[in-house]
Amino acid sequence: MSKTIFEYSSDGRHGVILPEREIDIPLSDMFDEAQLRKKDARLPQVSKLEVMRHYIGLSSLNHFIEKGMYPLGSCTMKYNPKVHDHLAKHTCFANLHPLQPESTIQGALELMYELQHDLAEISGMANVTLQPSAGAQGEYVGIKIIAQYHKAKGNTHKTKIIIPDSAHGTNPATCRLVGYDVVELKSDENGRCDIAQLRELVDENTAGFMLTNPSTLGLFETQIEEIAEIIHSVDALIYMDGANLNALLGISQPGKGGFDIIHFNLHKTFSTPHGGGGPGAGPVGVVEKLLPFLPVPMVEKNDEGYYLDYSHEDSSIGKVQSFYGNFGVLIRAYVYIKMLGGKGLRRAGENAIINANYIQAHLKDYYHIMHPEFCMHEFVADSSWQKKKYGVNTTDIAKRLLDKGFHAPTVYFPLIIPEAMMIEPTETESLETLDMFIQAMIEIAKEAEENPALLHEAPTTTPVRRVDDVRAVKQLDPIFKIED
Ligand SMILES: *Cc1c(COP(=O)(O)O)cnc(C)c1O
């Protein structure tokens, strides 16, 4: 790494000239003795240009979407148009206070009302709450609604929720948090739900079923009608994990196909920023019969305008978030949906699917793909060939991609595919970029064959080499290395 400004500080050099003090008041007249510094702060003395270079350099040490492709499957790292940020920062929005009288925030309420209804239309649901601030919190709201539904019906015997083995880890965690037992459903040889096993697992104690569609294998679950019939036959509900809705946009409405509840990740499909822990938004949509259980308040409209509606407070699961959710994120998703419109959203979905299939088709001779059929917005390749023949694993391949200017795909997930590499290009990458990524992956496949040591040592061009992932999350020292 090049020198930091702390290392090339020079006494007396500076970047700003402060005005002369007009009145000379001794510092000891303004502050307590105990508050005064005994020694000068150890700040670097550098010029403005050097400060600029320092921060520009720091800003590009990490990988980000504006720097290069970020094909992190299941995370939908698409480009977030800058106009979203520009509008979210507008004083008309940024200076609002959530406790202002409703008559003075009609615009903000209208935006939320419209977003509720646009998401309801996209998903085919009756209405949508915007409160949850992450996909996982959306799941929590959805499963709480399942519990509230059964409570209202006196279904006290319902104790379990069935989840396929390909599910995102948050799904079983959410169910446990709400107090349900989790029962795992195996995938069949086609990567779809094993219907015969589902029939065996479902009984009177089943409260619900949680399904990700497209699945984390990037496959469309083709047996939804049959699944819905089995689940509904015991008065259980079907939850769809819709974190990754890109492939369904404008093409299929889950609410019309048997699902009762869905959550959306605005920070994935609807192009609001994510990473670094948020802020995000995980709105939840429900069918008509579950409307009474949605969190309060909802945004509604009458002759006088828009208002916050608490009328179903008694049946609601309650409030899950301070005020009305991450409003700044909602603005960005609203702008995205309105700018694209129905046709644009559908094109985004179609292009996401085409891009994923394009990469899959070009890589299938170089990497093993368990389900090499047409995929949706993502697909899962794995490094089992490379591991067996050359001792190169998925971590090695992922790290080598960093040297070639790409972020790695999601690795070792879903858990049912050993050495998984889950690749999601999204619709925002051009054909040229897809070709460069394919080229890099093919080069790596050749390197695995000819020079596996190169891959074991990767990455060599990043400021930090391989970190101990487990220690790194507990010990947040960004320059801590595995050999320390
Ligand atoms: C990302 C994701 C989640 C969780 O969303 P968060 O906003 O990270 O809490 C849940 N399910 C699936 C399939 C996901 O991809």
Side-chain angles (χ1 to χ4, degrees):
M1 224 189 347
S2 54
K3 272 189 167 184
T4 70
I5 51 173
F6 294 94
E7 290 161 303
Y8 56 66
S9 169
S10 172
D11 281 353
R13 191 178 289 164
H14 53 81
V16 287
I17 299 169
L18 296 174
E20 293 282 327
R21 266 190 289 177
E22 284 173 13
I23 318 169
D24 210 5
I25 306 172
L27 284 176
S28 51
D29 285 4
M30 296 194 280
F31 299 100
D32 271 0
E33 188 58 29
Q35 289 174 314
L36 291 178
R37 278 188 179 284
K38 305 285 175 291
K39 276 193 266 170
D40 279 345
R42 231 171 38 82
L43 294 175
Q45 304 193 36
V46 287
S47 72
K48 197 163 162 185
L49 176 59
E50 286 161 336
V51 172
M52 299 280 286
R53 285 187 180 151
H54 171 73
Y55 283 110
I56 298 279
L58 279 185
S59 74
S60 60
L61 286 182
N62 242 332
H63 193 90
F64 48 98
I65 192 83
E66 288 86 353
K67 187 174 169 184
M69 187 177 164
Y70 209 137
L72 202 59
S74 197
C75 291
T76 315
M77 305 298 285
K78 60 170 82 175
Y79 173 64
N80 302 157
K82 297 303 163 231
V83 65
H84 297 178
D85 298 332
H86 182 69
L87 290 167
K89 273 191 285 193
H90 194 287
T91 48
C92 294
F93 291 126
N95 291 349
L96 292 180
H97 192 281
L99 294 178
Q100 270 177 241
E102 273 168 15
S103 62
T104 67
I105 51 165
Q106 284 294 303
L109 292 177
E110 180 178 354
L111 184 148
M112 291 168 74
Y113 181 86
E114 289 269 318
L115 184 58
Q116 282 175 192
H117 289 275
D118 286 349
L119 291 173
E121 189 178 337
I122 288 167
S123 61
M125 293 290 173
N127 209 347
V128 170
T129 170
L130 304 173
Q131 267 184 46
S133 64
Q137 200 187 11
E139 291 173 31
Y140 178 75
V141 166
I143 302 302
K144 274 294 238 197
I145 288 174
I146 293 183
Q148 193 84 340
Y149 168 82
H150 290 308
K151 196 171 150 203
K153 293 195 83 179
N155 288 342
T156 49
H157 52 290
K158 297 209 176 273
T159 52
K160 67 180 188 190
I161 294 201
I162 302 172
I163 304 180
D165 57 6
S166 57
H168 195 268
T170 48
N171 291 189
T174 299
C175 293
R176 287 302 300 147
L177 203 62
V178 179
Y180 283 113
D181 295 330
V182 175
V183 179
E184 186 180 271
L185 173 69
K186 294 262 173 287
S187 299
D188 66 14
E189 65 278 10
N190 302 314
R192 309 307 201 288
C193 289
D194 185 333
I195 296 288
Q197 203 209 1
L198 181 66
R199 283 187 197 283
E200 279 167 30
L201 294 178
V202 171
D203 59 22
E204 278 307 313
N205 297 331
T206 307
F209 181 61
M210 252 183 136
L211 185 68
T212 304
N213 192 35
S215 73
T216 59
L217 295 167
L219 303 175
F220 190 80
E221 186 55 69
T222 46
Q223 317 166 99
I224 293 166
E225 278 187 344
E226 209 176 341
I227 294 171
E229 206 184 297
I230 300 169
I231 299 300
H232 288 148
S233 72
V234 293
D235 197 19
L237 298 171
I238 312 191
Y239 182 98
M240 180 170 138
D241 181 331
N244 314 116
L245 211 63
N246 235 11
L248 305 190
L249 286 177
I251 300 172
S252 153
Q253 293 171 293
K256 300 274 163 69
F259 288 100
D260 302 300
I261 308 173
I262 184 174
H263 88 260
F264 314 82
N265 275 24
L266 299 190
H267 45 292
K268 291 179 182 168
T269 311
F270 296 95
S271 198
T272 71
H274 70 160
V284 173
V286 297
V287 292
E288 193 82 29
K289 69 174 172 186
L290 301 177
L291 290 176
F293 309 117
L294 283 174
V296 281
M298 293 293 291
V299 182
E300 291 299 343
K301 185 181 167 184
N302 62 18
D303 292 345
E304 279 145 50
Y306 299 92
Y307 65 100
L308 294 166
D309 178 21
Y310 288 86
S311 63
H312 62 292
E313 197 157 17
D314 291 343
S315 56
S316 161
I317 62 162
K319 212 164 179 321
V320 293
Q321 179 73 16
S322 58
F323 302 113
Y324 323 113
N326 277 326
F327 184 60
V329 176
L330 305 181
I331 298 169
R332 290 171 171 87
Y334 171 88
V335 175
Y336 181 72
I337 291 171
K338 295 298 184 196
M339 284 204 338
L340 287 182
K343 287 201 181 109
L345 287 173
R346 187 182 168 111
R347 278 197 65 201
E350 287 169 349
N351 284 324
I353 296 171
I354 293 168
N355 285 359
N357 277 286
Y358 182 78
I359 298 179
Q360 179 177 247
H362 281 84
L363 293 186
K364 70 178 185 333
D365 295 336
Y366 299 90
Y367 294 92
H368 176 246
I369 295 173
M370 185 95 86
H371 302 286
E373 58 186 280
F374 279 117
C375 64
M376 299 298 283
H377 60 291
E378 64 192 0
F379 68 96
V380 181
D382 64 70
S383 66
S384 54
W385 293 346
Q386 284 76 14
K387 192 171 181 187
K388 202 159 154 220
K389 284 198 229 155
Y390 316 116
V392 164
N393 67 18
T394 286
T395 301
D396 299 328
I397 293 168
K399 298 294 181 193
R400 184 65 181 146
L401 264 175
L402 296 176
D403 281 340
K404 295 182 185 283
F406 296 95
H407 195 280
T410 294
V411 294
Y412 297 102
F413 179 77
L415 304 175
I416 49 177
I417 306 231
E419 301 295 329
M421 295 184 282
M422 191 187 210
I423 298 171
E424 178 179 6
T426 84
E427 73 283 6
T428 59
E429 296 302 340
S430 67
L431 182 61
E432 291 75 12
T433 306
L434 300 181
D435 283 335
M436 286 192 289
F437 176 74
I438 291 165
Q439 178 68 29
M441 286 295 285
I442 294 176
E443 274 169 27
I444 293 172
K446 296 204 171 116
E447 287 169 356
E449 202 175 326
E450 291 157 9
N451 187 3
L454 189 65
L455 304 196
H456 297 318
E457 277 162 27
T460 57
T461 58
T462 51
V464 179
R465 303 278 299 273
R466 286 200 194 191
V467 295
D468 176 335
D469 294 332
V470 180
R471 264 173 81 192
V473 287
K474 301 199 157 115
Q475 212 172 310
L476 289 176
D477 175 357
I479 52 169
F480 153 77
K481 299 186 190 71
I482 197 165
E483 56 269 23
D484 288 353

